[in-house]
Amino acid sequence: MTTRAVIFDFNGTISDDEPILDRLFREVFAGDGIAFDSAYYYDRLAGLSDPEIVERTLADHDQPPDPARAGRLLRAKVDRYKELVAEQPTVSAQTAAFVRAVAARVPVAIASGALHEEVDHVLAIAGLRDLFDSVVCIDDVEHGKPAPDGYLLALARLNAGRPEPVGAGDVLVFEDADVGVAAAHAAGMRCVAISGDAYHGERATADLVVAELDPDDVDALLG
């Protein structure tokens, strides 16, 4: 099948930061009196949007809804995340080369459950922002993954002004989490999953699973 566009997830896909997110969310919540382990993070939280991670964690620990508390927890996580990725960049040279090789072939976009503040920060550090026709974050949509909203909006923005719009069936998505694979499929797109702690194939089975994003594999993956 022809691939006419590619949409990337961000956390754990372009940015190798799932272990950082696991650690930061555990630290932020521990400072607020809620303790959980990595198994809980990867089973219940990985792949969700940042606001939904906060909301689910509070609900799972029988905490009443509290927008002010949720906002404070999220702000603490964002601030610390930006510090850490500046100290130790999370986009590897291999992944950057993969993204550049794909962008040389087809239009590329991002659909992320993170905030623009974080995604734009990492892309600027990696020097990749100009490659993407569209960057959609949780700030831009009402519902995070596994809802298809982010992927559909990324495609709509990617198609804006194109004389021959790309159909969802011609889009290949790269994801690292179950909820992301489910979102891509709900949007009518094919999906390649990167094997790791966040992907179990439970909510949806990826069309293909790879160990890593290798620039030598771009031609084979895009067809």
Side-chain angles (χ1 to χ4, degrees), residues 12 18 42 175-178 193-201 209-212:
E18 284 292 359
Y42 284 107
E175 266 285 355
D176 80 308
D178 283 358
I194 303 167
S195 61
D197 292 332
Y199 176 70
H200 311 288
V209 180
V210 297
E212 59 187 356

Side-chain angles (χ1 to χ4, degrees), residues 171-191:
V171 176
L172 184 63
V173 169
F174 289 91
E175 266 285 355
D176 80 308
D178 283 358
V179 294
V181 175
H185 283 170
M189 302 171 184
R190 292 168 290 125
C191 188

